[in-house]
PDB file of all heavy atoms in Angstrom:
ATOM      1  N   TYR A  68      23.076  -5.725  25.194  1.00 98.00           N
ATOM      2  CA  TYR A  68      22.635  -5.269  26.540  1.00 98.00           C
ATOM      3  C   TYR A  68      21.388  -5.981  27.017  1.00 98.00           C
ATOM      4  O   TYR A  68      21.070  -5.667  28.170  1.00 98.00           O
ATOM      5  CB  TYR A  68      22.377  -3.751  26.453  1.00 98.00           C
ATOM      6  CG  TYR A  68      21.575  -3.431  25.124  1.00 98.00           C
ATOM      7  CD1 TYR A  68      20.267  -3.479  25.150  1.00 98.00           C
ATOM      8  CD2 TYR A  68      22.198  -3.005  23.982  1.00 98.00           C
ATOM      9  CE1 TYR A  68      19.502  -3.112  24.044  1.00 98.00           C
ATOM     10  CE2 TYR A  68      21.422  -2.677  22.822  1.00 98.00           C
ATOM     11  CZ  TYR A  68      20.103  -2.767  22.848  1.00 98.00           C
ATOM     12  OH  TYR A  68      19.379  -2.503  21.899  1.00 98.00           O
ATOM     13  N   CYS A  69      20.812  -6.664  26.231  1.00 98.00           N
ATOM     14  CA  CYS A  69      19.370  -7.022  26.378  1.00 98.00           C
ATOM     15  C   CYS A  69      19.248  -8.501  27.016  1.00 98.00           C
ATOM     16  O   CYS A  69      19.827  -9.490  26.516  1.00 98.00           O
ATOM     17  CB  CYS A  69      18.469  -6.976  25.216  1.00 98.00           C
ATOM     18  SG  CYS A  69      16.760  -7.318  25.557  1.00 98.00           S
ATOM     19  N   GLY A  70      18.448  -8.622  28.131  1.00 98.00           N
ATOM     20  CA  GLY A  70      18.375  -9.882  28.826  1.00 98.00           C
ATOM     21  C   GLY A  70      17.606 -11.028  28.083  1.00 98.00           C
ATOM     22  O   GLY A  70      17.724 -12.215  28.339  1.00 98.00           O
ATOM     23  N   GLN A 106       4.250  -5.648  23.313  1.00 98.00           N
ATOM     24  CA  GLN A 106       5.800  -5.573  23.100  1.00 98.00           C
ATOM     25  C   GLN A 106       6.256  -6.995  23.166  1.00 98.00           C
ATOM     26  O   GLN A 106       5.774  -7.942  23.930  1.00 98.00           O
ATOM     27  CB  GLN A 106       6.315  -4.768  24.205  1.00 98.00           C
ATOM     28  CG  GLN A 106       7.827  -4.585  23.975  1.00 98.00           C
ATOM     29  CD  GLN A 106       8.417  -3.643  25.067  1.00 98.00           C
ATOM     30  OE1 GLN A 106       8.949  -4.103  26.068  1.00 98.00           O
ATOM     31  NE2 GLN A 106       8.389  -2.340  24.763  1.00 98.00           N
ATOM     32  N   SER A 137       5.255  -2.882  19.506  1.00 98.00           N
ATOM     33  CA  SER A 137       6.728  -2.635  19.757  1.00 98.00           C
ATOM     34  C   SER A 137       7.369  -4.002  19.642  1.00 98.00           C
ATOM     35  O   SER A 137       7.674  -4.650  20.718  1.00 98.00           O
ATOM     36  CB  SER A 137       6.839  -2.201  21.309  1.00 98.00           C
ATOM     37  OG  SER A 137       8.115  -2.075  21.655  1.00 98.00           O
ATOM     38  N   ARG A 160      12.799   2.180  19.496  1.00 98.00           N
ATOM     39  CA  ARG A 160      13.793   3.056  19.870  1.00 98.00           C
ATOM     40  C   ARG A 160      15.089   2.978  18.955  1.00 98.00           C
ATOM     41  O   ARG A 160      15.303   1.792  18.454  1.00 98.00           O
ATOM     42  CB  ARG A 160      14.308   2.758  21.342  1.00 98.00           C
ATOM     43  CG  ARG A 160      13.290   3.066  22.395  1.00 98.00           C
ATOM     44  CD  ARG A 160      13.984   2.833  23.744  1.00 98.00           C
ATOM     45  NE  ARG A 160      12.976   3.181  24.837  1.00 98.00           N
ATOM     46  CZ  ARG A 160      13.367   2.913  26.105  1.00 98.00           C
ATOM     47  NH1 ARG A 160      14.444   2.368  26.482  1.00 98.00           N
ATOM     48  NH2 ARG A 160      12.419   3.166  27.062  1.00 98.00           N
ATOM     49  N   GLU A 162      17.996   3.737  19.761  1.00 98.00           N
ATOM     50  CA  GLU A 162      18.980   3.289  20.930  1.00 98.00           C
ATOM     51  C   GLU A 162      20.237   4.159  20.888  1.00 98.00           C
ATOM     52  O   GLU A 162      20.672   4.599  21.802  1.00 98.00           O
ATOM     53  CB  GLU A 162      19.414   1.864  20.658  1.00 98.00           C
ATOM     54  CG  GLU A 162      18.344   0.884  20.516  1.00 98.00           C
ATOM     55  CD  GLU A 162      17.328   0.729  21.777  1.00 98.00           C
ATOM     56  OE1 GLU A 162      17.495   1.457  22.748  1.00 98.00           O
ATOM     57  OE2 GLU A 162      16.454  -0.156  21.795  1.00 98.00           O
ATOM     58  N   ARG A 182      17.610   0.588  11.113  1.00 98.00           N
ATOM     59  CA  ARG A 182      16.644   1.051  12.157  1.00 98.00           C
ATOM     60  C   ARG A 182      16.087   2.332  11.785  1.00 98.00           C
ATOM     61  O   ARG A 182      14.828   2.548  11.888  1.00 98.00           O
ATOM     62  CB  ARG A 182      17.524   1.118  13.439  1.00 98.00           C
ATOM     63  CG  ARG A 182      16.890   1.578  14.628  1.00 98.00           C
ATOM     64  CD  ARG A 182      15.886   0.538  15.291  1.00 98.00           C
ATOM     65  NE  ARG A 182      16.435  -0.732  15.598  1.00 98.00           N
ATOM     66  CZ  ARG A 182      16.447  -1.184  16.842  1.00 98.00           C
ATOM     67  NH1 ARG A 182      15.756  -0.705  17.819  1.00 98.00           N
ATOM     68  NH2 ARG A 182      16.866  -2.379  17.097  1.00 98.00           N
ATOM     69  N   ILE A 200      16.045   6.280  23.283  1.00 98.00           N
ATOM     70  CA  ILE A 200      17.282   5.793  23.624  1.00 98.00           C
ATOM     71  C   ILE A 200      17.378   5.244  25.068  1.00 98.00           C
ATOM     72  O   ILE A 200      16.496   5.624  25.890  1.00 98.00           O
ATOM     73  CB  ILE A 200      18.464   6.785  23.522  1.00 98.00           C
ATOM     74  CG1 ILE A 200      18.293   7.934  24.521  1.00 98.00           C
ATOM     75  CG2 ILE A 200      18.510   7.412  22.034  1.00 98.00           C
ATOM     76  CD1 ILE A 200      19.595   8.881  24.585  1.00 98.00           C
ATOM     77  N   MET A 201      18.411   4.471  25.100  1.00 98.00           N
ATOM     78  CA  MET A 201      18.705   4.029  26.538  1.00 98.00           C
ATOM     79  C   MET A 201      19.835   4.980  26.983  1.00 98.00           C
ATOM     80  O   MET A 201      20.756   5.284  26.198  1.00 98.00           O
ATOM     81  CB  MET A 201      19.530   2.647  26.652  1.00 98.00           C
ATOM     82  CG  MET A 201      18.487   1.446  26.778  1.00 98.00           C
ATOM     83  SD  MET A 201      19.452  -0.008  26.652  1.00 98.00           S
ATOM     84  CE  MET A 201      20.325   0.158  25.185  1.00 98.00           C
ATOM     85  N   GLY A 230      14.973   5.696  28.757  1.00 98.00           N
ATOM     86  CA  GLY A 230      15.068   4.945  30.014  1.00 98.00           C
ATOM     87  C   GLY A 230      16.510   4.732  30.305  1.00 98.00           C
ATOM     88  O   GLY A 230      17.373   4.560  29.386  1.00 98.00           O
ATOM     89  N   PRO A 231      16.860   4.702  31.637  1.00 98.00           N
ATOM     90  CA  PRO A 231      18.308   4.477  31.951  1.00 98.00           C
ATOM     91  C   PRO A 231      18.679   3.156  31.566  1.00 98.00           C
ATOM     92  O   PRO A 231      17.868   2.024  31.739  1.00 98.00           O
ATOM     93  CB  PRO A 231      18.384   4.592  33.421  1.00 98.00           C
ATOM     94  CG  PRO A 231      16.955   4.266  33.954  1.00 98.00           C
ATOM     95  CD  PRO A 231      16.001   4.839  32.857  1.00 98.00           C
ATOM     96  N   PHE A 232      19.765   2.906  31.056  1.00 98.00           N
ATOM     97  CA  PHE A 232      20.509   1.516  30.906  1.00 98.00           C
ATOM     98  C   PHE A 232      20.657   0.874  32.233  1.00 98.00           C
ATOM     99  O   PHE A 232      21.157   1.520  33.134  1.00 98.00           O
ATOM    100  CB  PHE A 232      21.860   1.622  30.129  1.00 98.00           C
ATOM    101  CG  PHE A 232      22.665   0.353  30.301  1.00 98.00           C
ATOM    102  CD1 PHE A 232      22.276  -0.793  29.623  1.00 98.00           C
ATOM    103  CD2 PHE A 232      23.682   0.257  31.137  1.00 98.00           C
ATOM    104  CE1 PHE A 232      23.017  -2.016  29.815  1.00 98.00           C
ATOM    105  CE2 PHE A 232      24.423  -0.913  31.406  1.00 98.00           C
ATOM    106  CZ  PHE A 232      24.078  -2.057  30.603  1.00 98.00           C
ATOM    107  N   ILE A 233      20.239  -0.353  32.303  1.00 98.00           N
ATOM    108  CA  ILE A 233      20.432  -1.107  33.619  1.00 98.00           C
ATOM    109  C   ILE A 233      21.002  -2.479  33.302  1.00 98.00           C
ATOM    110  O   ILE A 233      20.549  -3.100  32.290  1.00 98.00           O
ATOM    111  CB  ILE A 233      19.029  -1.294  34.336  1.00 98.00           C
ATOM    112  CG1 ILE A 233      18.429  -0.024  34.803  1.00 98.00           C
ATOM    113  CG2 ILE A 233      19.297  -2.172  35.623  1.00 98.00           C
ATOM    114  CD1 ILE A 233      17.108  -0.054  35.375  1.00 98.00           C
ATOM    115  N   PRO A 234      22.135  -2.769  33.847  1.00 98.00           N
ATOM    116  CA  PRO A 234      22.845  -4.082  33.346  1.00 98.00           C
ATOM    117  C   PRO A 234      21.936  -5.326  33.651  1.00 98.00           C
ATOM    118  O   PRO A 234      21.224  -5.345  34.563  1.00 98.00           O
ATOM    119  CB  PRO A 234      24.108  -4.183  34.337  1.00 98.00           C
ATOM    120  CG  PRO A 234      24.311  -2.891  34.787  1.00 98.00           C
ATOM    121  CD  PRO A 234      23.058  -2.149  34.923  1.00 98.00           C
ATOM    122  N   HIS A 235      22.173  -6.297  32.799  1.00 98.00           N
ATOM    123  CA  HIS A 235      21.453  -7.567  33.056  1.00 98.00           C
ATOM    124  C   HIS A 235      22.534  -8.661  33.231  1.00 98.00           C
ATOM    125  O   HIS A 235      23.574  -8.689  32.505  1.00 98.00           O
ATOM    126  CB  HIS A 235      20.642  -8.056  31.841  1.00 98.00           C
ATOM    127  CG  HIS A 235      19.784  -9.393  32.051  1.00 98.00           C
ATOM    128  ND1 HIS A 235      20.360 -10.465  32.036  1.00 98.00           N
ATOM    129  CD2 HIS A 235      18.486  -9.379  32.320  1.00 98.00           C
ATOM    130  CE1 HIS A 235      19.396 -11.471  32.294  1.00 98.00           C
ATOM    131  NE2 HIS A 235      18.339 -10.801  32.420  1.00 98.00           N
ATOM    132  N   ALA A 285      12.072   1.370  33.379  1.00 98.00           N
ATOM    133  CA  ALA A 285      13.432   1.428  33.688  1.00 98.00           C
ATOM    134  C   ALA A 285      13.745   2.492  34.713  1.00 98.00           C
ATOM    135  O   ALA A 285      14.585   2.233  35.738  1.00 98.00           O
ATOM    136  CB  ALA A 285      14.349   1.569  32.510  1.00 98.00           C
ATOM    137  N   TYR A 318      10.293 -11.875  31.319  1.00 97.00           N
ATOM    138  CA  TYR A 318      10.642 -10.768  30.283  1.00 97.00           C
ATOM    139  C   TYR A 318      11.493  -9.810  30.984  1.00 97.00           C
ATOM    140  O   TYR A 318      11.372  -8.648  31.243  1.00 97.00           O
ATOM    141  CB  TYR A 318       9.257 -10.064  30.034  1.00 97.00           C
ATOM    142  CG  TYR A 318       9.287  -9.206  28.716  1.00 97.00           C
ATOM    143  CD1 TYR A 318       9.285  -9.796  27.551  1.00 97.00           C
ATOM    144  CD2 TYR A 318       9.497  -7.853  28.793  1.00 97.00           C
ATOM    145  CE1 TYR A 318       9.281  -8.979  26.259  1.00 97.00           C
ATOM    146  CE2 TYR A 318       9.643  -7.026  27.638  1.00 97.00           C
ATOM    147  CZ  TYR A 318       9.619  -7.632  26.422  1.00 97.00           C
ATOM    148  OH  TYR A 318       9.635  -7.022  25.203  1.00 97.00           O
ATOM    149  N   LEU A 320      14.434  -7.702  30.689  1.00 96.00           N
ATOM    150  CA  LEU A 320      15.381  -6.942  29.796  1.00 96.00           C
ATOM    151  C   LEU A 320      16.531  -6.615  30.537  1.00 96.00           C
ATOM    152  O   LEU A 320      17.698  -6.354  29.914  1.00 96.00           O
ATOM    153  CB  LEU A 320      14.634  -5.642  29.281  1.00 96.00           C
ATOM    154  CG  LEU A 320      13.309  -5.867  28.490  1.00 96.00           C
ATOM    155  CD1 LEU A 320      12.673  -4.598  28.040  1.00 96.00           C
ATOM    156  CD2 LEU A 320      13.468  -6.755  27.282  1.00 96.00           C
ATOM    157  N   TYR A 321      16.411  -6.375  31.877  1.00 96.00           N
ATOM    158  CA  TYR A 321      17.490  -5.904  32.721  1.00 96.00           C
ATOM    159  C   TYR A 321      17.182  -6.424  34.107  1.00 96.00           C
ATOM    160  O   TYR A 321      16.057  -6.849  34.308  1.00 96.00           O
ATOM    161  CB  TYR A 321      17.756  -4.411  32.610  1.00 96.00           C
ATOM    162  CG  TYR A 321      16.396  -3.597  32.792  1.00 96.00           C
ATOM    163  CD1 TYR A 321      15.733  -3.399  33.939  1.00 96.00           C
ATOM    164  CD2 TYR A 321      15.782  -3.112  31.589  1.00 96.00           C
ATOM    165  CE1 TYR A 321      14.482  -2.739  33.994  1.00 96.00           C
ATOM    166  CE2 TYR A 321      14.602  -2.517  31.565  1.00 96.00           C
ATOM    167  CZ  TYR A 321      13.954  -2.172  32.830  1.00 96.00           C
ATOM    168  OH  TYR A 321      12.821  -1.544  32.778  1.00 96.00           O
TER     169      TYR A 321
HETATM  170  N1  5AD B   1      18.598  -1.500  30.308  1.00 61.48           N
HETATM  171  C1  5AD B   1      17.617  -0.679  29.955  1.00 61.48           C
HETATM  172  N2  5AD B   1      16.909  -0.760  28.943  1.00 61.48           N
HETATM  173  C2  5AD B   1      16.976  -1.837  28.123  1.00 61.48           C
HETATM  174  N3  5AD B   1      16.303  -2.199  26.935  1.00 61.48           N
HETATM  175  C3  5AD B   1      16.784  -3.359  26.653  1.00 61.48           C
HETATM  176  N4  5AD B   1      17.751  -3.768  27.470  1.00 61.48           N
HETATM  177  C4  5AD B   1      17.922  -2.894  28.445  1.00 61.48           C
HETATM  178  C5  5AD B   1      18.762  -2.639  29.640  1.00 61.48           C
HETATM  179  N5  5AD B   1      19.638  -3.606  29.822  1.00 61.48           N
HETATM  180  C6  5AD B   1      15.303  -1.379  26.297  1.00 61.48           C
HETATM  181  C7  5AD B   1      15.711  -1.051  25.002  1.00 61.48           C
HETATM  182  C8  5AD B   1      14.584  -1.537  24.068  1.00 61.48           C
HETATM  183  C9  5AD B   1      13.398  -1.516  25.183  1.00 61.48           C
HETATM  184  C10 5AD B   1      12.247  -2.474  24.777  1.00 61.48           C
HETATM  185  O1  5AD B   1      14.016  -2.002  26.293  1.00 61.48           O
HETATM  186  O2  5AD B   1      15.920   0.316  24.745  1.00 61.48           O
HETATM  187  O3  5AD B   1      14.259  -0.644  22.987  1.00 61.48           O
END
Side-chain angles (χ1 to χ4, degrees):
Y68 46 82
C69 184
Q106 188 177 89
S137 177
R160 290 188 184 169
E162 313 295 0
R182 184 63 64 118
I200 63 167
M201 271 179 307
F232 162 76
I233 300 174
H235 186 286
Y318 199 80
L320 303 178
Y321 41 84

